[in-house]
Amino acid sequence: MSALLRVEDLRVCFRTMGPLKALVTGTKAPFIDAVCGVSFEIHKGETLALVGESGSGKSTIARTIIGLQRAVSGSIRIDGQEIEELSGAERKPYLRRMAMMFQDPIGSLSPRLTVRSLLTEPFRIHGLKHPDLGGEAERLLRMVGLPADFARRYPHQLSGGQARRVGIARALALNPDLIIADEPTAGLDVSVQGEVLNLLARLQDELGMAILIITHNLNVVRHMTDRMAIMYLGRFIEVGSTERIFDQPRHPYTEALLAANPEPDPDAVLNRIELKGEVPSLMRRPSGCEFHTRCRYAQDICSRVFPEPSASEDAEHSFRCHFPLGRGSDRPLETTLSSAGPKSDDGQS
Amino acid sequence: MRHDDLTQHIARPLLEIRDLNLDFGTPRGRVHALRNVSLDVPAGQVVGIVGESGSGKSTLAYTLMGLLPENADVTAGSILFEGKDLLKMPAQARRNLLGDRLSMIFQDPMTALNPVRTIESQMIDIQHHEQRSRSEKRTRALEMLHRVGIPDPQSRIGAYPHHFSGGMRQRVCIAMALLVKPTLLVADEPTTALDATLEVQIIHLLKELQKEIGCSVLFVSHHLGAVAELCDRVAVMYAGEVVEEGAVRDIFHNPAHPYTRALLECDPGRIKKSTRTLPTIPGEVPSLLGSKKGCIFRARCPQAFSRCTHDNPIEYRIGVDQVARCHLLDEERLVSA
Amino acid sequence: MRGLIAGFGRRWLDNLLLLIFDTIRSFPGIIFALAIIALLGPSLATVILVIAITSMPIYARVMRTQTEALRSSEYVAAERSMGAGTTRILAVHVLPNVIGPLLILVSMDVPAVIAVEAGLSFLGMGVRPPTPDWGAILNDGYSYINQTPWLVIAGGIPIVFATLGFTFLGEALRDIFDPKLRKDL
């Protein structure tokens, strides 16, 4: 089965200064890599999570897939069709197969439109004739469990959870194959978070779409996703099945992230792992393993050699670390890989 | 329960909130944002206030600090701080307490600092209650910045807030709040705007500093994990009422109010197994417009019975020092008696 | 409209338009007006043109700032992600949200514009008789203010009413455009 969405070696840069200033100050590359060399695929009906803290590049990936951001290099294929080389008009039918939900439940709804207009907006944008737009809006509202009279409301009259439901309904309007959900639970109370996640899970069971969840909240990931990728400074540092990673994280960063989301129990939370310092600036990427500045297991080699991804024996789980946690049997594999690694370091800069 | 815990409660608490009622006047009518809120903050302890949005937890913090908007109206109750009622105090005397005995950390470290002034001038200004020379104040500011983990404070103190990252800015805010050696620190969702790994750092920092300075902390948060880790006591708020209050272990291990139980169940951190259906609390937070009869949680409560519609539940005591507002507790007592 | 383009368009376009606005603004208004009138001759059309050109940069500036703030807002990104074109986003999602402050500005500007127009008329550069003109009427009355103030007061009343009317109109329009301020909801 071919992948619904296949992203290969994606690289996205942001400009740090104008071209004139770069010329004057003699900066050769006035760019920072927000996403560097990320590859993944999503199959039909599957759920994948991109997990990371702010600045990890997870939202940038989503914005690039949906066409809000241009990639510097790499490929994005939908059903095998490369969309990065298509012009705006040619892209449109492919974009229709994906829908994105943005972080702010209320702020991502155009404030002057009624819920009815918001829900039927996708049809108008894509010039689709629909005999009964009003009925369509009602159908979508029903699907997400909101009463039909919500169609007359404006975004500011909705609670966070209700606005989130409207956002989901709008994403579903054109029956997409893939929904990209950027922090679907951001700004929502825990009891409402559960409702939103349950709704997404139910709709996925009914409609069979794939979901790409972008979040910093590991609790969201655990119950919703099949696979997850953990990002740090624009790179995947650990990828694998959600269950496996929760059971046995291999990268120290993953371990710390998991420990930062503890069970709410005064006796259980005492072993939270505190990471030193903050995420380094993208303008000054650390040498070698980019996590070594905060890693509690870091050794000499970590600051010099960039770790290549290595995989567990069944190839289900891969990670970039010289000294992965867990069983020692993986280690010989790592040392052989990392000794071949140094060259790739130059390739990144 | 340890012995010294008990003796601390016999001594008079630093802060006593008694039957506080607060309304907001709105064009649609009066919104009862706080109803019969009673809460103690013992000296040297960290008290957490948890609740969802609209529970009134931030309103309570703002009431303490006298930072309420104009349409707020305290209709009844008292806030005794060190034995004196803040609400009856002249405005000037109350202002003198702020930034001296009482200080606050806000949710958003991006907007809590003045963007056009350096950290140095803001940190010196905050010590205006103290009779010291400018250079002494600067030295104290440097010490404090160092203490909260700002690397190289000597060169960083002259910087503007936008030179700092979010986590560093929250550290600066903490440094400023603690510089005046307050007896009570009010922290309103101080970690909500931060990433998970930074949240851990800030919680640990607050814990250490609280022990060092010995002040009390009122920690407002919706994050149960953070509250469980930091606090000695917890008050659970729902729709403007404190529905349950007690020592942190009692609340988390032996919740008595159905809302507390539901809230704890909802926290996804509790659910270890992979599941497609997470627990939720069905229904919505009730509108706070107009007066309400009966238990505020009854519409969403799985165990509601006839009495809940008529009677407003009083505080029932469970164990040594845990109270909850739920009629079920009264019924249980009747059955066992 | 130009402010909308400046706020939403590319960086160089923004800079170019700002340069034009600021150049216009750097001329003292009345001298600029006199220059244009000298070129085109006094007439009703010229007066309208002069007032339009001199007051445009302010509106454009306000518009630009507002638009720029909205450009990075999440709902605009959401619309773009659904494939909406720039024209549609500007017309349906941005314009209604920036029009409110602009209308207030317009209604507050009406008296100022009437004053400018009256000033031009006073200098004999404005609207030519027999076209009726409040500024001119006020001016005529002004000569007799010592004998009988009623001419000025009577001439002024329509200006006051017109100004107030525009202010209310502006506020009403803003309320209609902004669903948050509608009372029935």
Side-chain angles (χ1 to χ4, degrees), chain C residues 37-49:
Chain C
I37 289 165
L39 281 174
L40 299 178
S43 75
L44 181 63
T46 318
V47 170
I48 292 173
L49 181 74

Side-chain angles (χ1 to χ4, degrees), chain A residues 284-349:
Chain A
R284 289 182 298 274
R285 284 175 177 277
S287 61
C289 171
E290 290 168 342
F291 184 61
H292 84 263
T293 53
R294 304 176 75 195
C295 183
R296 55 182 188 155
Y297 309 108
Q299 301 200 13
D300 195 34
I301 182 177
C302 300
S303 58
R304 288 183 286 108
V305 183
F306 181 74
E308 281 303 300
S310 40
S312 63
E313 50 271 43
D314 55 0
E316 288 267 303
H317 188 168
S318 76
F319 35 87
R320 270 179 203 273
C321 181
H322 294 303
F323 304 102
L325 308 160
R327 286 161 303 171
S329 60
D330 288 333
R331 256 176 220 173
L333 180 71
E334 254 66 73
T335 24
T336 47
L337 267 171
S338 59
S339 60
K343 271 181 260 100
S344 65
D345 201 1
D346 319 6
Q348 303 296 332
S349 50

Side-chain angles (χ1 to χ4, degrees), chain A residues 53-54 159 162 189-195 197-198 201 204-205 216 219 222-224 253 257 260-267 269-270 272-278 294, chain B residues 52-53 165 167-168 195-201 203-204 223-225 228-229 248-249 252-253 263 266-278 280-281 284 300:
Chain A
E53 296 183 275
S54 42
S159 71
Q162 291 162 348
D189 285 320
V190 275
S191 64
V192 185
Q193 279 181 16
E195 279 172 32
L197 295 178
N198 291 347
Q204 188 177 33
D205 292 342
H216 69 279
N219 293 327
R222 179 174 214 157
H223 306 295
M224 273 297 294
Y253 179 62
L257 272 187
N261 266 298
E263 191 181 347
D265 179 335
D267 296 319
V269 288
L270 299 168
R272 273 177 138 185
I273 299 165
E274 183 177 332
L275 285 181
K276 299 174 276 188
E278 303 200 357
R294 304 176 75 195
Chain B
E52 299 182 274
S53 45
S165 65
M168 283 295 157
D195 278 322
T197 57
L198 294 179
E199 175 175 42
V200 182
Q201 292 178 354
I203 297 283
H204 286 176
H223 189 174
L224 295 169
E229 182 161 18
V248 67
R249 282 200 171 70
F252 280 89
H253 292 315
L263 194 64
C266 280
D267 195 291
R270 280 242 151 158
I271 307 142
K272 291 277 180 240
K273 281 195 218 76
S274 174
T275 168
R276 293 291 271 181
T277 8
L278 293 164
T280 61
I281 307 178
E284 302 253 326
R300 301 171 79 183

Side-chain angles (χ1 to χ4, degrees), chain C residues 4 41-42 46 61 64 71 73-74 80 108 130 135 177 180:
Chain C
L4 214 56
T46 318
R61 274 277 188 173
R64 174 181 166 273
R71 177 166 66 156
S73 76
E74 217 166 56
R80 278 175 64 202
M108 276 167 57
F177 274 111
K180 280 180 210 165

Side-chain angles (χ1 to χ4, degrees), chain C residues 55-73:
Chain C
S55 51
M56 189 181 63
I58 300 166
Y59 294 117
R61 274 277 188 173
V62 171
M63 200 77 163
R64 174 181 166 273
T65 318
Q66 297 266 332
T67 309
E68 209 169 43
L70 286 182
R71 177 166 66 156
S72 51
S73 76

